């Protein structure tokens, strides 16, 4: 396969052919779903952004804007490190996708997350788009063998992360044990702590970690879904059993090299483990995968064949249910509701998000979603359920928007004068702080209603990216009667204070 063949998804610039003296310019000619923004379109984007920025003090409880030198295609929260009076400190995982003038890296950062109702309105509105936020500080750099397309943390031990690159293998990293590296031209790659082999072609985006076991799931261009257990490496290792702690017990992954992370130019020099199962059923590239929250043996996948497939490792390697035409175009993303095993979200190049009930997935042989959410104007790249309310989820897209939805609001009339009469059903918040495609976002499980999101700003600014950490005002998502009761208390307090002599 030609490694320079254009990707179907408009999310990865291929800047390596650019001149080295212009490191921030990206080659966007290989994008197929995103065209160059015209000056008129850019003017509209800038107008909307200006309007959004003026509303920041009203819409947000907290917002931090962090300018990135290089685009980041993935962002994930790591473990919480410290709790203090006004803010918490937490790990943040990012990627840096460079043009080749310096190596691609996996970045471990420390993030100061301001607690609710602490930030002053004037403070959160006074950010500089070109500056780096003081709330985000780089802690460690890992020199990654190739571009980092996706990062996923192991729920049982969030210092263990998996990454996808432009290759067939999944790379596993113990980010705390890995040495800090200086990313300069010619530096050797960091050595992964474990390599998961099994794909026959590049696997670039589809990656998931199991909530209940140290299992990893991947999909790729070979049209397969591959399942591994990190535990398999530990149990087959011949190293000292005293060091053989599982990732799930808080221990590290066993290293078979005397000096982890240093002096290797080939990722293949690290220890590797083969798959537990390889699952075939897709007819095109598998773009995303996710586990059933309550079962390590059940998972689902979506792909460029417009199919959603459910699998069960206990019954073989063929699909349990194959949903044809789940969307009208390529499917880019999928997520399984952590509070309701029956609900699955999908996002597509047809600009929509759909919700499926696995008890009734199809009608007349094609996908039959229970809800369609149509508020984006370009391909949806990422969907994720909120950990804070079971009916809430987010979706990000190439239109630069990150929409927050609540399916319980679908069909309900907004009595108190709808905010926007034409707003799509279920949409109750729109984060418009990015001015280019929002390629990834992640809800924070440690700080309720807090989100990190990244945009690839190649098309709008010619390079770099934007990282934003934000939390909408609780007046937006709290029940209406609760908010009104609080306002009544406030009004009574104001009246009583004002009536004093």
């Amino acid at each position: 396969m030609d490694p320079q063949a254009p990707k179907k998804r408009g999310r990865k610039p291929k800047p390596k052919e650019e001149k080295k003296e212009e490191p921030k310019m990206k080659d966007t000619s290989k994008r197929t779903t995103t065209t160059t923004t015209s000056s008129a379109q850019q003017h509209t984007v800038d107008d909307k952004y200006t309007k959004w920025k003026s509303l920041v003090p009203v819409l947000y409880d907290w917002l931090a804007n962090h300018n990135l030198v290089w685009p980041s295609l993935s962002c994930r929260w790591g473990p919480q490190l410290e709790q203090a009076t006004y803010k918490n400190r937490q790990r943040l995982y990012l990627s840096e996708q460079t043009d080749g003038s310096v190596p691609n890296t996996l970045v471990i950062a420390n993030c100061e997350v301001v607690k609710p109702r602490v930030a002053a309105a004037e403070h959160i509105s006074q950010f500089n788009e070109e500056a780096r936020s003081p709330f985000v500080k780089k802690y460690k750099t890992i020199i990654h063998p190739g571009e980092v397309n996706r990062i996923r943390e192991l729920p049982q031990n969030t210092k263990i992360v998996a990454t996808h690159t432009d290759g067939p293998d999944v790379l596993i990293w113990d980010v705390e044990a890995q040495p800090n590296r200086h990313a300069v031209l010619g530096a050797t790659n960091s050595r992964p702590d474990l390599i998961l082999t099994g794909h026959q072609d590049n696997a670039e985006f589809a990656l998931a970690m199991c909530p209940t076991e140290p299992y990893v799931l991947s999909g790729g261009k070979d049209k397969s879904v591959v399942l591994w257990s990190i535990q398999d490496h530990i149990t087959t290792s011949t190293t000292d059993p005293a060091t053989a702690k599982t990732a799930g017990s808080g221990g590290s992954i066993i290293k078979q090299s005397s000096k982890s992370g240093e002096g290797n130019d080939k990722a293949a020099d690290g220890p590797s483990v083969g798959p537990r199962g390889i699952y075939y059923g897709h007819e095109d590239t598998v773009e995303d995968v996710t586990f059933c929250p309550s079962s390590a043996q059940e998972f689902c996948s979506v792909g460029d064949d417009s199919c959603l497939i459910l699998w069960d490792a206990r019954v073989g390697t063929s699909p349990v249910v194959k949903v044809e035409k789940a969307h009208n175009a390529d499917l880019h993303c999928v997520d399984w509701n952590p509070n309701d095993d029956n609900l699955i979200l999908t996002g597509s190049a047809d600009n929509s998000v759909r919700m499926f009930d696995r008890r009734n997935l199809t009608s007349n042989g094609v996908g039959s979603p229970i809800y369609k959410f149509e508020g984006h104007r370009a391909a949806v790249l990422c969907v994720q359920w909120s950990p804070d309310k079971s009916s809430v989820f987010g979706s990000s897209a190439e239109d630069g928007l990150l929409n927050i939805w609540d399916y319980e609001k679908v069909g309900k009339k907004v009595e108190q004068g709808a905010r926007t009469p034409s707003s799509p059903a279920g949409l109750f918040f729109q984060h418009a702080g990015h001015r280019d495609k929002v390629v990834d976002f992640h809800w924070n499980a440690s700080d309720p209603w807090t989100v990190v999101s990244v945009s690839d700003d190649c098309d709008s600014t010619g390079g770099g990216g934007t990282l934003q950490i934000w939390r909408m005002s609780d007046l937006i998502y709290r029940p209406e009667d609760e908010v009104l009761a609080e306002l009544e208390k406030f009004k009574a307090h104001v009246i009583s204070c004002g009536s004093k002599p």
Side-chain angles (χ1 to χ4, degrees):
M1 178 172 288
D2 179 11
Q4 297 300 322
K7 290 180 169 60
K8 287 191 175 184
R9 305 171 77 169
R11 46 185 305 168
K12 279 179 58 61
K14 282 293 185 182
K16 291 178 178 174
E17 295 79 21
E18 289 294 315
K19 294 179 182 178
K20 295 290 174 65
E21 64 267 22
E22 297 176 322
K24 293 190 76 175
M25 292 299 291
K26 300 289 192 273
D27 174 15
T28 57
S29 62
K30 293 189 173 68
R31 296 173 187 269
T32 56
T33 62
T34 304
T35 56
T36 305
T37 308
S38 69
S39 57
Q41 288 172 315
Q42 189 59 50
H43 182 69
T44 303
V45 169
D46 289 340
D47 286 347
K48 288 183 177 178
Y49 177 79
T50 301
K51 183 179 179 182
W52 168 83
K53 193 173 178 181
S54 70
L55 295 172
V56 164
V58 178
L59 297 176
Y60 295 86
D61 178 72
W62 180 56
L63 182 138
N65 187 89
H66 188 70
N67 181 260
L68 300 169
V69 176
W70 302 108
S72 179
L73 292 182
S74 195
C75 58
R76 300 293 289 185
W77 291 107
Q80 194 172 74
L81 304 174
E82 181 185 354
Q83 292 188 337
T85 306
Y86 299 110
K87 54 191 177 183
N88 301 323
R89 196 158 55 93
Q90 189 168 353
R91 287 275 195 264
L92 190 62
Y93 304 136
L94 303 166
S95 65
E96 287 183 322
Q97 184 202 9
T98 72
D99 64 351
S101 60
V102 292
N104 293 285
T105 62
L106 171 63
V107 175
I108 297 92
N110 287 336
C111 180
E112 304 282 346
V113 181
V114 175
K115 288 188 173 181
R117 300 197 173 189
V118 168
E122 63 271 18
H123 173 75
I124 63 171
S125 65
Q126 292 170 356
F127 65 85
N128 179 355
E129 290 90 341
E130 304 302 320
R132 302 189 185 181
S133 170
F135 295 103
V136 180
K137 292 184 173 64
K138 190 178 287 189
Y139 166 71
K140 184 183 285 187
T141 299
I142 293 170
I143 298 179
H144 198 270
E147 297 169 351
V148 185
N149 298 334
R150 184 153 292 183
I151 306 164
R152 289 293 180 264
E153 72 290 347
L154 188 68
Q156 299 85 27
N157 183 353
T158 51
K159 70 178 183 179
I160 307 295
V161 304
T163 56
H164 255 327
T165 186
D166 288 343
D169 299 333
V170 177
L171 308 181
I172 304 292
W173 308 89
D174 182 335
V175 295
E176 296 301 322
Q178 283 282 334
N180 187 24
R181 302 290 304 283
H182 189 43
V184 294
L185 184 62
T188 54
N189 293 329
S190 297
R191 180 183 304 186
D193 293 285
L194 188 62
I195 298 162
L196 308 183
T197 62
H199 278 294
Q200 301 303 308
D201 200 344
N202 289 352
E204 297 173 340
F205 292 108
L207 185 63
M209 297 287 220
C210 177
T212 57
E213 298 284 344
Y215 291 175
V216 182
L217 197 64
S218 169
K221 288 186 175 181
D222 58 4
K223 308 173 188 176
S224 75
V225 174
V226 185
L227 174 70
W228 297 268
S229 169
I230 295 176
Q231 191 79 30
D232 288 347
H233 169 61
I234 296 164
T235 55
T236 58
S237 174
T238 57
T239 54
D240 181 3
T243 66
K245 295 180 179 179
T246 69
S249 67
S252 182
I253 294 173
I254 300 168
K255 299 171 184 63
Q256 295 179 341
S257 57
S258 58
K259 205 172 185 185
S260 169
E262 298 278 8
N264 267 302
D265 211 29
K266 293 181 180 177
D269 289 343
S272 64
V273 66
R276 284 204 169 184
I278 301 179
Y279 303 85
Y280 288 101
H282 282 285
E283 295 168 15
D284 206 334
T285 301
V286 180
E287 292 282 11
D288 202 11
V289 289
T290 189
F291 280 95
C292 174
S294 62
S295 170
Q297 306 300 325
E298 296 176 77
F299 39 92
C300 66
S301 57
V302 295
D304 290 344
D305 55 3
S306 303
C307 291
L308 162 67
I309 298 182
L310 273 63
W311 313 84
D312 190 330
R314 295 164 297 195
V315 299
T317 57
S318 297
V320 173
V321 182
K322 184 172 183 177
V323 182
E324 305 271 2
K325 297 182 180 177
H327 283 259
N328 301 321
D330 298 358
L331 273 72
H332 287 166
C333 46
V334 62
D335 197 31
W336 208 315
N337 192 314
N339 299 295
D340 186 340
D341 284 358
N342 292 314
L343 300 181
I344 297 171
L345 288 173
T346 57
S348 168
D350 67 7
N351 307 351
S352 75
V353 176
R354 297 186 178 184
M355 185 190 303
F356 289 88
D357 186 325
R358 71 165 169 171
R359 295 165 297 189
N360 186 23
L361 288 165
T362 60
S363 175
N364 297 322
V366 299
S368 179
I370 53 175
Y371 292 123
K372 295 181 182 179
F373 302 92
E374 297 175 324
H376 287 290
R377 298 186 302 276
V380 178
L381 300 177
C382 184
V383 290
Q384 193 195 7
W385 290 101
S386 166
D388 304 305
K389 187 181 178 187
S390 60
S391 60
V392 170
F393 64 91
S395 63
S396 68
E398 291 185 353
D399 58 8
L401 298 174
L402 203 169
N403 289 338
I404 307 297
W405 311 80
D406 186 343
Y407 71 75
E408 288 184 346
K409 295 183 184 295
V410 176
K412 291 185 178 179
K413 298 291 184 183
V414 182
E415 299 296 338
Q416 69 278 12
R419 286 175 226 138
T420 315
S422 60
S423 77
L427 180 66
F428 76 96
F429 188 80
Q430 195 166 68
H431 177 66
H434 295 284
R435 284 181 283 182
D436 213 323
K437 62 196 75 65
V438 183
V439 289
D440 201 12
F441 72 94
H442 191 202
W443 295 91
N444 192 333
S446 300
D447 270 278
W449 294 91
T450 304
V451 176
V452 59
S453 51
V454 286
S455 57
D456 170 0
D457 299 345
C458 295
D459 290 342
S460 59
T461 65
T466 301
L467 168 77
Q468 291 181 339
I469 304 160
W470 51 274
R471 183 192 306 117
M472 70 181 84
S473 167
D474 63 0
L475 298 177
I476 295 171
Y477 61 78
R478 282 165 60 198
E480 182 185 346
D481 54 351
E482 195 178 294
V483 172
L484 291 174
E486 187 166 318
L487 289 174
E488 284 299 318
K489 284 183 189 175
F490 176 73
K491 188 160 66 174
H493 175 73
V494 171
I495 292 170
S496 64
C497 289
S499 61
K500 290 181 181 179

